[in-house]
Amino acid sequence: MHPHPPLDPADWDEFRALGKQMIDDIADHLSGIRERPVWQQVPEEVAASFRTGLPEEGRPMAEVYEEYRRTIQPYPRGNIHPRFWGWANGSGVPVAAYGDLLASVLNCTLGSGGNAAMMVERQVIAWIGEALGWPGTGSGLLTSGASLGQVTALAAARAARAPEFREAGAAGSGVQFTVYGSTETHHSVDKAVELLGIGGRFFRRVPVDSDFRVDVAALRAAIRADRTAGLTPLCVVGNAGTVNTGAVDPLADLLTVAREEGLWYHVDGAFGAFARLLPSHRPLLEGLTEADSLVLDLHKWLYMPFDVSCLLTRRDGDLETAFRSGADYISKTKQGPAAFPLAFSDRGVEQSRRFRALKVWFALKTYGIRAFADSIAGNVAQVAHLVTLVEAAEDLELAARSDLNVACFRYVWPGATPEALDRVNRAVLDRLQTDGTAMPSHTVLGGRFVLRVANNNHRSTTADFDHLVTEVRRWGAVYAADETGR
């Protein structure tokens, strides 16, 4: 019986040669990305290859790489393409991918223990706080995304307001919390209140104004009503850029409400918080740096490869109060790795954590924060240009725009019924996406189906938005003619 071969390469020279080929291919792929479709459907014969069974025996790694080039590389989500503006996906900085590769080679887990990787994450968190004007006395954690950040922040809020909750649970504490956010608040907050035992029924979705910003008077009324009913208001969630329209809540007003009512103030700044890098946008985000907690995705408007997000808290120790735990096998020692004072596992749910910080460290060291601020300013200007084009076209209608990087619009024509408008705009979106021309996404505003552009793309140019408008108008006219000929 022959022993299995080791899981390291049998031939390091062969491994090195394949790695060099991969880097060359990556550079070719990224440098030529504009000439490729934004997205294309995975053919059935390729999709079938992902339904095969578990391999019993291995194959040469060069063959596996060629299968990747044939079946995976041509059919990505598309968010690295210059004309991808769907949902809220970042475009990925190539040099940061090197950081990800190096992180995988080092294969550190960042729960606890003294090593350089732990220090890099601590430094990256401090850099993000410094860039946003966050108080240096605060704390932080890198997470997979804002969704986990919301859970972590609300758990910290709960622990700060009811320390007994961790031990006694919801029933034993006898407290029924309520959480407040606008009707535009991201659905990850719904998940957070459900997972934390607060209950979806006690997440109060407060109405918004005509600009999709939370109605502060309605918020105050909701808090008063809950106190009268014997409930315990816990947290106000402010939006620094809603997903639907990019709206920014009156963050300073929400801060005032939270402080007057003795509530935790949490800001969801998944992409919008980075607008604070621009002096022109700091007044819009006034109150953000006074929050008790803030989540922001570095893989959105800082263009990092997925996944890396950051949670910042205003006070040191708030996260540890909510999550610190212990066991003999992770207890402290006087010397060695276990003597390191910081444990990120005490700041969140995860004990095993990948070295997400290295790609951020690599990119910020390479370019500096000013380069990222310039790219963000470019995205804002590009969306403003799109809005100008839409407003100048008689056959386009602006449905919503923000001071950030989101705009919603649709194709229109005289005498069209609401149903016909929805059908045509759905058809236009389908055509843009399936042809690989461009990738806006969609939403529904006021009962209207609209095209939605969220520009977190460092590769986009103004010409890309000229092209988008040309194509929307071209295909809109084709499908509108079909409608009028019915």
Side-chain angles (χ1 to χ4, degrees):
M1 182 176 181
H2 298 288
H4 288 292
L7 294 177
D8 278 343
D11 185 331
W12 284 105
D13 288 336
E14 180 186 5
F15 178 80
R16 180 179 292 107
L18 180 59
K20 290 177 179 178
Q21 181 187 339
M22 286 180 177
I23 295 298
D24 285 344
D25 292 345
I26 287 168
D28 289 342
H29 182 75
L30 290 176
S31 63
I33 193 67
R34 184 172 286 280
E35 282 67 55
R36 297 184 176 87
V38 180
W39 178 89
Q40 52 186 340
Q41 183 73 45
V42 179
E44 174 52 33
E45 61 270 22
V46 173
S49 71
F50 302 123
R51 298 192 290 268
T52 56
L54 174 69
E56 290 286 342
E57 302 293 336
R59 294 159 50 200
M61 57 185 174
E63 287 185 17
V64 177
Y65 174 57
E66 285 307 311
E67 183 174 352
Y68 156 83
R69 282 169 49 86
R70 186 180 70 255
T71 64
I72 298 173
Q73 182 176 286
Y75 310 106
R77 183 170 176 83
N79 48 296
I80 62 173
H81 195 283
R83 291 194 297 276
F84 187 103
W85 309 297
W87 302 280
N89 291 174
S91 46
V93 178
V95 74
Y98 283 158
D100 246 354
L101 172 61
L102 297 173
S104 293
V105 171
L106 290 178
N107 199 30
C108 296
T109 177
L110 277 75
S112 61
N115 58 76
M118 293 282 290
M119 298 174 191
V120 169
E121 177 158 341
R122 182 172 60 186
Q123 183 176 44
V124 165
I125 293 167
W127 283 350
I128 298 303
E130 181 182 348
L132 297 178
W134 196 257
T137 55
S139 181
L141 182 73
L142 297 186
T143 69
S144 59
S147 293
L148 185 55
Q150 316 282 30
V151 175
T152 309
L154 288 180
R158 187 182 65 182
R161 295 297 185 269
E164 73 279 5
F165 205 101
R166 287 190 67 180
E167 181 68 23
S173 70
V175 177
Q176 177 56 65
F177 288 121
T178 50
V179 175
Y180 305 85
S182 83
T183 54
E184 296 292 299
T185 300
H186 193 268
H187 62 91
S188 60
V189 177
D190 292 273
K191 293 183 180 181
V193 296
E194 292 166 7
L195 286 170
L196 292 170
I198 295 170
R201 186 156 58 94
F202 297 97
F203 175 42
R204 307 306 195 206
R205 286 192 168 272
V206 181
V208 294
D209 61 19
S210 59
D211 292 322
F212 302 98
R213 309 188 326 152
V214 67
D215 183 329
V216 176
L219 169 64
R220 287 185 180 277
I223 295 171
R224 285 196 304 268
D226 283 337
R227 289 199 192 282
T228 300
L231 303 175
T232 304
L234 172 66
C235 176
V236 172
V237 178
N239 295 298
T242 61
V243 173
N244 246 3
T245 66
V248 177
D249 285 333
L251 300 177
D253 292 344
L254 295 184
L255 173 66
T256 297
V257 172
R259 294 294 177 259
E260 289 178 355
E261 296 285 349
L263 307 185
W264 184 280
Y265 182 33
H266 173 65
V267 174
D268 179 358
F271 62 89
F274 281 112
R276 203 175 183 283
L277 295 177
L278 311 181
S280 59
H281 282 62
R282 285 172 194 161
L284 178 69
L285 298 171
E286 183 183 355
L288 180 145
T289 58
E290 303 300 314
D292 295 296
S293 57
L294 167 69
V295 295
L296 57 158
D297 283 333
L298 282 63
H299 54 232
K300 287 189 171 75
W301 223 359
L302 209 64
Y303 316 108
M304 293 297 130
F306 285 95
D307 54 27
V308 58
S309 184
C310 186
L311 166 65
L312 298 173
T313 58
R314 187 166 187 77
R315 289 170 297 276
D316 190 24
D318 278 339
L319 294 177
E320 283 82 356
T321 298
F323 291 102
R324 183 182 285 112
S325 61
D328 290 342
Y329 47 82
I330 54 172
S331 59
K332 297 296 183 184
T333 56
K334 290 184 178 181
Q335 295 184 2
F340 194 66
L342 172 61
F344 286 117
S345 58
D346 282 342
R347 295 185 179 182
V349 174
E350 297 172 305
Q351 184 73 35
S352 298
R353 305 173 63 254
R354 75 181 311 268
F355 191 6
R356 294 186 177 95
L358 187 57
K359 58 189 166 193
V360 186
W361 184 91
F362 219 93
L364 289 175
K365 283 275 190 178
T366 300
Y367 294 110
I369 195 64
R370 289 184 182 177
F372 291 92
D374 288 346
S375 190
I376 289 169
N379 290 159
V380 172
Q382 290 156 6
V383 170
H385 175 71
L386 170 64
V387 169
T388 299
L389 295 177
V390 170
E391 291 182 326
E394 294 182 355
D395 51 358
L396 297 178
E397 176 184 78
L398 187 67
R401 59 115 0 125
S402 75
D403 293 312
L404 300 178
N405 58 342
V406 179
C408 300
F409 68 103
R410 64 176 182 167
Y411 185 84
V412 295
W413 70 96
T417 66
E419 295 77 14
L421 287 171
D422 282 356
R423 282 194 296 270
V424 164
N425 281 281
R426 287 180 183 274
V428 168
L429 182 67
D430 288 348
R431 173 66 67 170
L432 294 173
Q433 292 181 345
T434 57
D435 280 359
T437 302
M439 185 67 72
S441 56
H442 70 276
T443 191
V444 177
L445 299 176
R448 300 171 295 171
F449 182 93
V450 297
L451 308 183
R452 176 184 167 278
V453 166
N455 185 14
N456 302 302
N457 198 320
H458 74 281
R459 297 187 177 96
S460 296
T461 67
T462 301
D464 290 315
F465 291 95
D466 294 337
H467 183 65
L468 171 66
V469 168
T470 297
E471 292 298 294
V472 169
R473 298 181 72 185
R474 176 165 79 95
W475 287 111
V478 169
Y479 294 124
D482 291 342
E483 284 287 335
T484 56
R486 286 189 176 189

